[in-house]
């Protein structure tokens, strides 16, 4: 007897993901406090990389905060902002000065429209958690990086939004948040794709809210909607929402604030080195016996 394999309910709907960020392009900056802070911590790590890249890719550029930082840091570099949402790319193209702005590309990271070995550095702030197949995505990235090029990124780990996930788990059987990859699995995916010398670390950041609805508004404001395949395809009724809010009460701190946990995973890894070309056979010295 053969049974039909079913897709994971945590697989992300690409169209739903893109639509969420398209709609949030004009509200993103007002709500992206956490994203800006993590982006700042990520770009500080560029101080450790002693290189002056010619071409830098801001992968999942959003409204372009990282792209603008890269323009200022690498004054001679070509900076490219790439995002799945066209409205985000348009926002990125508005960054920079009169004579120098980021280039913009609207594309899916799983199918990068870039030449092989054309990029020196890739910086990605909180985009990789929106990818269903990390090894495949890392394979795309290692392909467009020049030999000895570097990937620097921040993404979310499994404890992210654990309070929200647990509270909805008491209400229904749908998926209400993405399943985030463990730091060690991300490292393994880098090696599987051909990256070398990956370095990984993580930290926990906890945001607090005076009401749980504030967290929901922030998530909606940045476009981080529930794009999982196992989500409730209908509307969330008032009774179900109220049950969720009530379930979240068990996480309320003594001071009355509600926590929202984010596990942030940082990493960087290098593209393969350029190996010296072998000498033509006729030039290989032959030892006489």
């Amino acid at each position: 007897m053969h049974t039909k394999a079913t897709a994971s309910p945590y697989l992300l709907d690409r169209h739903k993901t893109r639509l969420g960020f398209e709609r949030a392009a004009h509200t993103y900056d007002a709500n992206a406090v956490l994203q800006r802070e993590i982006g700042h911590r990520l770009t500080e790590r560029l101080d450790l990389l002693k290189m002056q890249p010619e071409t830098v890719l801001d992968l999942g550029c959003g409204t372009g905060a990282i792209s603008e930082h890269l323009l200022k840091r690498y004054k001679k570099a070509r900076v490219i902002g790439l995002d799945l949402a066209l409205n985000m790319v348009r926002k990125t193209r508005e960054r920079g000065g009169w004579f120098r702005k980021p280039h913009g590309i609207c594309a899916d990271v799983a199918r990068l429209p870039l030449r092989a070995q054309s990029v020196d550095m890739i910086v990605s702030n909180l985009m990789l958690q929106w990818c269903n197949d990390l090894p495949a995505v890392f394979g795309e990235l290692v392909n467009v990086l020049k030999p000895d090029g570097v990937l620097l990124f921040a993404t979310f780990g499994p404890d992210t939004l654990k309070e929200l996930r647990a509270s909805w788990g008491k209400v229904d059987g749908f998926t209400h948040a993405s399943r985030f990859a463990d730091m060690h699995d991300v490292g393994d995916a880098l090696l599987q794709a051909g990256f070398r010398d990956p370095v990984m670390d993580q930290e926990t950041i906890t945001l607090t809210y005076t009401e749980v609805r504030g967290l929901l508004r922030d998530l909606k404001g940045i476009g981080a909607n529930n794009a999982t395949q196992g989500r409730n395809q209908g509307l969330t009724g008032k009774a179900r929402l109220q049950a969720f809010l009530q379930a979240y009460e068990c996480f309320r701190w003594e001071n009355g604030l509600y926590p929202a946990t984010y596990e942030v995973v940082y990493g960087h890894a290098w593209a393969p080195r350029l190996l010296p070309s072998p000498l033509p056979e006729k030039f290989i010295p032959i030892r006489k016996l």
Side-chain angles (χ1 to χ4, degrees), residues 19-33 35-36 63 87-88 91 216-224:
L19 192 60
F21 288 111
E22 291 284 12
R23 290 172 173 171
H26 298 290
T27 59
Y28 184 90
D29 288 338
N31 296 278
V33 176
Q35 286 69 25
R36 279 194 299 274
T63 57
N87 286 339
M88 291 292 192
K91 286 286 186 181
L216 302 182
R217 284 193 295 268
D218 276 0
L219 292 175
K220 181 179 180 181
I222 64 170

Side-chain angles (χ1 to χ4, degrees), residues 4 19 50 121 187 243 280:
K4 185 178 179 180
L19 192 60
K50 307 302 181 183
M121 174 186 291

Side-chain angles (χ1 to χ4, degrees), residues 18 20 46 55 72 75 125 149 154 162 252 263 270 279:
R18 181 188 63 78
L46 291 170
T55 302
K72 295 175 180 177
K75 298 186 183 302
N125 184 38
K162 62 183 181 181
R252 182 162 58 95
E263 179 185 346
W270 300 87
L279 292 172

Side-chain angles (χ1 to χ4, degrees), residues 206-223:
T206 303
L207 300 185
T208 56
Y209 294 86
T210 56
E211 59 172 359
V212 180
R213 290 177 188 270
L215 167 62
L216 302 182
R217 284 193 295 268
D218 276 0
L219 292 175
K220 181 179 180 181
I222 64 170

Side-chain angles (χ1 to χ4, degrees), residues 167-168 170-172 176 211-213 216 236-250 258:
S167 298
W168 274 119
K170 296 178 180 179
V171 176
D172 57 35
H176 290 270
E211 59 172 359
V212 180
R213 290 177 188 270
L216 302 182
T236 300
K238 291 183 178 179
R240 185 177 288 135
L241 177 60
Q242 190 57 43
F244 160 73
L245 296 174
Q246 185 59 43
Y248 212 109
E249 284 295 318
C250 71
Y258 297 89

Side-chain angles (χ1 to χ4, degrees), residues 151-224:
L151 166 65
L152 182 80
F153 64 87
T155 187
F156 285 136
D159 276 350
T160 298
L161 296 176
K162 62 183 181 181
E163 300 90 355
L164 180 145
R165 197 189 320 274
S167 298
W168 274 119
K170 296 178 180 179
V171 176
D172 57 35
F174 296 111
T175 53
H176 290 270
S178 301
R179 176 175 286 171
F180 303 105
D182 178 82
M183 179 177 71
H184 303 289
D185 292 334
V186 177
D188 288 344
L190 286 166
L191 292 172
Q192 183 179 335
F195 279 97
R196 61 180 177 83
D197 303 329
V199 177
M200 310 288 298
D201 64 281
Q202 63 90 225
E203 66 176 336
T204 298
I205 299 176
T206 303
L207 300 185
T208 56
Y209 294 86
T210 56
E211 59 172 359
V212 180
R213 290 177 188 270
L215 167 62
L216 302 182
R217 284 193 295 268
D218 276 0
L219 292 175
K220 181 179 180 181
I222 64 170

